[in-house]
Amino acid sequence: MKKILPPEELARDARFVRVNIQDTIADPRQAKVSERNTGSAKLEPDRPAAADRARQLMHGIFMGEVQALEGAGRTTFDFTDEEVPFQLKLDMARQSWDESRHCEISVKLAEHMGTEIGEFAEATFLYEAACAPDALLRLTGVNRALEGLAIDVFNTMKLFGDHSGDPVLAACEDWMLADEVTHVKMGSDWLRRLTENDPERRELALEFQRTVDKLFSLGGFRGETDDNPIQLARRFRELAGFSTEEIDELSEVTAEAQAEAEAAAGVNKS
Amino acid sequence: MGRVEVTPQEFTYVEYDSGIIASLAEELAGRVGLPDDVAISIEIDEELPLPLTGSTADVVDGNAELWFSGANFENGKYRCTFDEPVARAELATNLFRARDRLQPDFASASPDEELAEALRGTWDVWAEGRAVRLGELARRVRRQYVFRLYNGFTDVADAAFDRLWSGDDFTWAELQSISEQCAAADPRPASKRKGVPRKESLKQ
């Protein structure tokens, strides 16, 4: 079996269509929407188009779970016992088990909301972060950055379920959120252990994480202001091993990502 | 020139054809029973991408005035492209509501932008159910999710949905009554229910 599987070789059937996330962010309509005064962008039931925004996000979560399963599975397989501790591979196997359950839960939730598998295009940027040749970079890029985004997204969806009175959505998102906190903590713990005597390597890994965090902020999709549909889940990130300073830094990274995307799109917010 | 006018005539951001949209509306208007002497104007806001959907169907001076977000006609797999089955279903649903507005017992129905979400959701179920019986695309669970979002995740709301989806004749007063029954069974605090019009709108 091939090691380090490139994103273009991921197995997908005819229901799935790929899209480049950069094309979506650069869509000139996004800039036009940003210029409008339509109130808070937070995902709330009383916001315009709330149902379809939630449906599309749920489909995105499903695709993210598929890719998280593929990423954790690859990390279990791609490295020898000499390259990474066997216990780390066991943790990745455990994570794969969790992600496969999340895929099944996400399919059911999408059905509950009236969404078909493949109804929306798939971006593979999540899996791409899981293709790093160094396992340490995967721990920061995937477990701390990607799974950290999952914490923010699941918390947002859980609140959406709470606020809309949807007990199915709220409960399922809460169960998955609990797993994601564990996955991020795994990344935090292994990062500390693997770089205990190598601060330079730890800093390189954290720099990779910052790059991925910026990418995953998707030009303002995530942040801490009313302009951001997905809100940073500070409390859950603390539970997952993030320090206050790290969360503050992430908040700055998300603001930078939004400013850069708006500048690139020529958004005028005056 | 036909009775359907589509704005804009040329699209800049999306690959839509106003002529195709006009001909679909012309055909569907006949099938939903909109009288021949009713002119139809359709405005499409092409700056709004998926998932920012939204629509209104009003009658002004005896003519049907429909507004759609461009997202309502967009293919979710292929950005900026036209999804004809989805567009047909959206047009038919809103043409049904425009036809309803021409009936005397809908005279007291507020314009769409002033309607409470719960009531609008109730009316949409009835309209989309009729469109499906014409043979248009069925998105029943999607519609039910929207209905539940605004009328409650309750057995009463689900029974109301079934009745609306399969029913052929309702008056405006009956739609209001159904929405009120759902609200009475909704355990959410009153502040979380959608009995008042939303403050913000995608329509400009």
Side-chain angles (χ1 to χ4, degrees), chain A residues 15-17 23-24 27-30 32-33 36-40 45-56 111-114 118-121 160 163-167 169, chain B residues 13-14 16 45-54 67 70-71 74-80 139 141-142 145-146 148-150 152-153 188 192 194 198-204:
Chain A
R15 291 173 295 181
F16 299 91
V17 170
D23 290 345
T24 304
D27 184 335
R29 294 177 299 171
Q30 300 291 355
K32 291 290 180 186
V33 171
R36 295 186 180 198
N37 180 15
T38 54
S40 166
D46 58 358
R47 302 287 307 121
D52 281 330
R53 290 174 68 205
R55 287 191 329 106
Q56 190 183 53
E111 287 172 353
H112 166 70
M113 298 163 92
E119 182 173 332
F120 301 101
F160 185 81
H163 295 171
S164 59
D166 181 349
L169 181 65
Chain B
Y13 298 109
V14 292
Y16 297 178
D45 187 340
E46 63 166 331
E47 292 181 0
L48 296 172
L50 272 173
L52 300 179
T53 51
W67 173 88
E74 187 173 12
N75 188 316
K77 290 178 192 280
Y78 302 100
R79 199 170 47 87
C80 301
R139 295 180 291 174
V141 183
R142 172 183 178 272
Y145 181 68
V146 179
R148 286 169 163 172
L149 209 54
Y150 300 125
F153 288 79
R188 287 178 291 185
K192 296 289 181 192
K194 309 303 166 208
R198 150 190 313 139
K199 281 179 245 164
E200 292 106 6
S201 169
L202 294 173
K203 190 175 177 182
Q204 292 198 323

Side-chain angles (χ1 to χ4, degrees), chain B residues 56-76:
Chain B
T56 59
D58 291 302
V59 169
V60 179
D61 298 331
N63 296 318
E65 293 193 353
L66 310 188
W67 173 88
F68 293 95
S69 159
N72 287 51
F73 298 165
E74 187 173 12
N75 188 316

Side-chain angles (χ1 to χ4, degrees), chain A residues 99-132:
Chain A
E99 306 296 6
S100 62
R101 273 186 287 106
H102 293 184
C103 290
E104 292 181 342
I105 292 169
S106 299
V107 168
K108 293 290 183 193
L109 282 176
E111 287 172 353
H112 166 70
M113 298 163 92
T115 306
E116 292 176 11
I117 292 176
E119 182 173 332
F120 301 101
E122 175 191 15
T124 55
F125 67 100
L126 300 180
Y127 178 77
E128 286 162 28
C131 292

Side-chain angles (χ1 to χ4, degrees), chain A residues 190-234:
Chain A
W190 277 113
L191 170 68
R192 201 172 300 114
R193 287 164 69 176
L194 293 179
T195 60
E196 205 163 11
N197 300 312
D198 193 345
E200 197 174 324
R201 191 172 177 225
R202 177 181 296 181
E203 186 45 42
L204 279 175
L206 288 172
E207 185 55 39
F208 181 67
Q209 181 187 323
R210 283 189 278 272
T211 302
V212 177
D213 270 331
K214 197 170 198 174
L215 183 67
F216 287 173
S217 294
L218 301 172
F221 181 63
R222 172 179 63 179
E224 291 193 288
T225 73
D226 276 357
D227 287 339
N228 312 118
I230 302 299
Q231 297 287 303
L232 270 184
R234 281 186 171 263

